[in-house]
Protein backbone atom coordinates (compact mmCIF):
# COMPACT_ATOMS: atom_id res chain seq x y z
CA UNK A 1 0.00 0.00 0.00
CA UNK A 2 1.04 3.60 -0.42
CA UNK A 3 0.46 6.72 1.64
CA UNK A 4 0.02 10.39 1.01
CA UNK A 5 3.25 12.35 1.21
CA UNK A 6 2.19 15.74 2.52
CA UNK A 7 3.92 18.27 4.73
CA UNK A 8 1.25 19.10 7.30
CA UNK A 9 1.60 21.87 9.86
CA UNK A 10 2.11 19.90 13.05
CA UNK A 11 1.36 20.77 16.63
CA UNK A 12 4.46 21.55 18.72
CA UNK A 13 6.07 18.38 19.99
CA UNK A 14 4.17 16.14 17.55
CA UNK A 15 5.46 14.19 14.58
CA UNK A 16 3.63 12.94 11.52
CA UNK A 17 3.81 9.37 12.78
CA UNK A 18 2.25 10.24 16.12
CA UNK A 19 -0.52 7.91 17.24
CA UNK A 20 -2.22 10.50 19.44
CA UNK A 21 -4.85 11.04 16.74
CA UNK A 22 -4.32 14.77 16.46
CA UNK A 23 -0.89 15.90 15.34
CA UNK A 24 -2.16 18.07 12.45
CA UNK A 25 -2.47 21.70 13.53
CA UNK A 26 -4.38 22.92 10.48
CA UNK A 27 -4.72 23.36 6.74
CA UNK A 28 -4.16 26.33 4.44
CA UNK A 29 -6.41 27.12 1.48
CA UNK A 30 -6.45 29.90 -1.08
CA UNK A 31 -9.14 32.60 -1.13
CA UNK A 32 -9.89 35.11 -3.87
CA UNK A 33 -11.78 37.31 -1.41
CA UNK A 34 -10.78 37.06 2.26
CA UNK A 35 -13.83 39.02 3.52
CA UNK A 36 -16.33 36.87 1.59
CA UNK A 37 -14.55 33.74 2.77
CA UNK A 38 -14.56 34.85 6.41
CA UNK A 39 -18.25 35.79 6.19
CA UNK A 40 -19.20 32.39 4.82
CA UNK A 41 -17.05 30.29 7.14
CA UNK A 42 -17.96 32.26 10.27
CA UNK A 43 -21.57 33.37 9.68
CA UNK A 44 -22.86 30.32 7.79
CA UNK A 45 -20.65 27.51 9.11
CA UNK A 46 -20.14 28.95 12.58
CA UNK A 47 -16.34 28.89 12.78
CA UNK A 48 -14.58 31.38 15.04
CA UNK A 49 -12.22 33.95 13.50
CA UNK A 50 -8.88 33.68 15.33
CA UNK A 51 -6.93 36.12 13.16
CA UNK A 52 -7.71 38.23 10.09
CA UNK A 53 -5.89 40.70 7.85
CA UNK A 54 -6.44 41.93 4.29
CA UNK A 55 -4.45 38.99 2.92
CA UNK A 56 -5.20 36.10 5.28
CA UNK A 57 -7.54 34.74 7.91
CA UNK A 58 -7.42 31.86 10.36
CA UNK A 59 -10.61 30.22 11.62
CA UNK A 60 -11.58 27.16 13.58
CA UNK A 61 -14.09 25.49 15.85
CA UNK A 62 -11.95 26.27 18.89
CA UNK A 63 -8.25 26.64 19.72
CA UNK A 64 -7.92 22.96 20.69
CA UNK A 65 -8.81 21.71 17.19
CA UNK A 66 -7.20 22.06 13.78
CA UNK A 67 -7.52 25.48 12.12
CA UNK A 68 -8.37 26.50 8.56
CA UNK A 69 -6.15 29.30 7.26
CA UNK A 70 -6.99 31.21 4.09
CA UNK A 71 -4.37 33.13 2.13
CA UNK A 72 -5.36 35.57 -0.60
CA UNK A 73 -4.67 34.44 -4.14
CA UNK A 74 -5.93 36.20 -7.27
CA UNK A 75 -7.10 33.00 -8.94
CA UNK A 76 -7.78 29.43 -7.80
CA UNK A 77 -7.53 26.43 -10.09
CA UNK A 78 -9.07 23.38 -8.43
CA UNK A 79 -8.19 21.08 -11.36
CA UNK A 80 -5.45 19.03 -9.70
CA UNK A 81 -5.95 19.85 -6.05
CA UNK A 82 -9.67 19.66 -5.56
CA UNK A 83 -10.98 18.05 -2.44
CA UNK A 84 -13.42 18.29 0.37
CA UNK A 85 -12.97 19.65 3.87
CA UNK A 86 -15.07 17.80 6.42
CA UNK A 87 -16.15 18.72 9.93
CA UNK A 88 -17.85 16.50 12.44
CA UNK A 89 -20.66 18.52 14.04
CA UNK A 90 -23.77 17.68 16.10
CA UNK A 91 -26.65 16.62 13.85
CA UNK A 92 -28.71 19.50 15.24
CA UNK A 93 -26.32 21.94 13.51
CA UNK A 94 -26.67 20.39 10.04
CA UNK A 95 -30.20 21.52 9.18
CA UNK A 96 -29.74 25.01 10.66
CA UNK A 97 -26.52 25.62 8.72
CA UNK A 98 -28.12 24.35 5.51
CA UNK A 99 -31.17 26.59 5.98
CA UNK A 100 -29.01 29.67 6.64
CA UNK A 101 -26.81 28.97 3.61
CA UNK A 102 -29.86 28.70 1.37
CA UNK A 103 -31.37 31.91 2.83
CA UNK A 104 -28.09 33.76 2.11
CA UNK A 105 -27.94 32.43 -1.47
CA UNK A 106 -25.06 29.96 -1.09
CA UNK A 107 -24.87 26.67 -2.95
CA UNK A 108 -25.75 23.40 -1.28
CA UNK A 109 -24.06 20.60 -3.21
CA UNK A 110 -25.72 17.81 -1.22
CA UNK A 111 -28.80 18.69 0.81
CA UNK A 112 -29.24 17.16 4.26
CA UNK A 113 -29.33 13.42 3.83
CA UNK A 114 -28.88 10.43 6.09
CA UNK A 115 -26.73 7.76 4.50
CA UNK A 116 -27.58 4.21 5.51
CA UNK A 117 -24.70 1.83 6.14
CA UNK A 118 -25.68 -1.81 6.56
CA UNK A 119 -24.75 -3.14 9.95
CA UNK A 120 -23.22 0.18 11.01
CA UNK A 121 -24.35 3.59 12.17
CA UNK A 122 -26.19 5.84 9.76
CA UNK A 123 -24.44 9.13 9.07
CA UNK A 124 -26.07 12.45 8.19
CA UNK A 125 -24.35 14.99 5.94
CA UNK A 126 -24.76 18.35 4.23
CA UNK A 127 -22.20 19.44 1.63
CA UNK A 128 -21.78 23.18 1.07
CA UNK A 129 -19.85 25.14 -1.55
CA UNK A 130 -18.00 28.22 -0.30
CA UNK A 131 -17.43 31.41 -2.36
CA UNK A 132 -14.29 29.88 -3.96
CA UNK A 133 -15.89 26.54 -4.76
CA UNK A 134 -14.40 24.49 -1.93
CA UNK A 135 -16.62 21.66 -0.80
CA UNK A 136 -17.31 21.66 2.93
CA UNK A 137 -18.95 18.56 4.32
CA UNK A 138 -20.69 18.75 7.67
CA UNK A 139 -21.00 15.21 9.00
CA UNK A 140 -23.27 14.37 11.91
CA UNK A 141 -20.93 13.71 14.81
CA UNK A 142 -23.03 10.97 16.33
CA UNK A 143 -22.83 8.60 13.34
CA UNK A 144 -19.34 9.72 12.39
CA UNK A 145 -17.90 8.77 15.79
CA UNK A 146 -19.41 5.31 15.52
CA UNK A 147 -18.22 4.78 11.94
CA UNK A 148 -14.69 6.07 12.59
CA UNK A 149 -13.79 3.51 15.24
CA UNK A 150 -10.45 1.79 14.71
CA UNK A 151 -10.79 -1.43 12.72
CA UNK A 152 -7.84 -3.75 13.39
CA UNK A 153 -8.47 -5.36 9.98
CA UNK A 154 -8.67 -2.00 8.15
CA UNK A 155 -5.18 -2.07 6.62
CA UNK A 156 -5.60 -5.66 5.45
CA UNK A 157 -9.02 -4.89 3.94
CA UNK A 158 -7.65 -1.82 2.13
CA UNK A 159 -4.64 -3.73 0.78
CA UNK A 160 -6.93 -6.53 -0.42
CA UNK A 161 -9.29 -4.07 -2.16
CA UNK A 162 -6.35 -2.34 -3.87
CA UNK A 163 -4.95 -5.69 -5.02
CA UNK A 164 -8.37 -6.68 -6.42
CA UNK A 165 -9.34 -3.35 -8.03
CA UNK A 166 -8.09 -4.29 -11.53
CA UNK A 167 -6.17 -1.02 -11.79
CA UNK A 168 -3.06 -2.99 -12.83
CA UNK A 169 -4.94 -3.91 -16.01
CA UNK A 170 -5.93 -0.27 -16.61
CA UNK A 171 -2.37 0.96 -16.10
CA UNK A 172 -1.04 -1.80 -18.40
CA UNK A 173 -3.34 -0.56 -21.19
CA UNK A 174 -1.79 2.89 -20.71
CA UNK A 175 1.72 1.47 -20.79
CA UNK A 176 2.34 2.31 -17.13
CA UNK A 177 2.48 0.52 -13.82
CA UNK A 178 0.43 1.26 -10.72
CA UNK A 179 3.58 1.71 -8.64
CA UNK A 180 4.85 4.48 -10.97
CA UNK A 181 1.62 6.48 -10.76
Amino acid sequence: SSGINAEWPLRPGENKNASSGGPVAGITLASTNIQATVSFWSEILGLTVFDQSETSATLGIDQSQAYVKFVHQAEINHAKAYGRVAFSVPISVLADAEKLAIEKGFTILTPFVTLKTDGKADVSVVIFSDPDGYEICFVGDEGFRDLSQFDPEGSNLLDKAIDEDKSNEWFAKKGKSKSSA
Side-chain angles (χ1 to χ4, degrees):
S1 68
S2 62
I4 296 172
N5 182 12
E7 290 300 319
W8 296 96
L10 302 177
R11 296 188 190 284
E14 296 280 358
N15 66 63
K16 64 177 116 187
N17 298 317
S19 61
S20 65
V24 176
I27 61 170
T28 300
L29 302 172
S31 168
T32 58
N33 181 325
I34 294 293
Q35 187 55 50
T37 296
V38 168
S39 292
F40 176 82
W41 285 75
S42 64
E43 296 170 20
I44 304 299
L45 301 182
L47 275 69
T48 300
V49 180
F50 299 140
D51 182 52
Q52 182 179 352
S53 71
E54 289 184 23
T55 59
S56 69
T58 304
L59 300 93
I61 302 295
D62 64 50
Q63 295 282 358
S64 70
Q65 298 185 37
Y67 61 80
V68 180
K69 181 176 183 177
F70 292 94
V71 177
H72 183 263
Q73 187 172 306
E75 186 178 323
I76 299 171
N77 181 352
H78 292 290
K80 290 189 176 186
Y82 196 69
R84 181 176 292 155
V85 178
F87 295 90
S88 171
V89 300
I91 289 176
S92 61
V93 171
L94 295 176
D96 291 342
E98 176 186 36
K99 181 180 175 191
L100 185 58
I102 291 169
E103 286 174 4
K104 299 285 185 176
F106 289 102
T107 302
I108 302 296
L109 299 172
T110 301
F112 181 91
V113 63
T114 299
L115 306 170
K116 306 286 183 193
T117 52
D118 292 336
K120 298 179 182 178
D122 297 339
V123 67
S124 299
V125 301
V126 174
I127 303 175
F128 304 86
S129 179
D130 87 343
D132 285 304
Y134 291 107
E135 292 185 12
I136 303 98
C137 180
F138 269 22
V139 180
D141 188 63
E142 298 80 352
F144 171 78
R145 295 283 170 200
D146 190 46
L147 287 177
S148 60
Q149 295 296 312
F150 176 73
D151 181 350
E153 285 300 307
S155 290
N156 293 335
L157 292 169
L158 177 61
D159 289 342
K160 183 177 186 249
I162 290 170
D163 290 341
E164 295 174 354
D165 71 3
K166 299 187 180 185
S167 60
N168 283 329
E169 296 169 19
W170 184 87
F171 279 107
K173 289 178 187 175
K174 303 287 183 188
K176 298 179 181 181
S177 69
K178 187 190 299 191
S179 61
S180 69

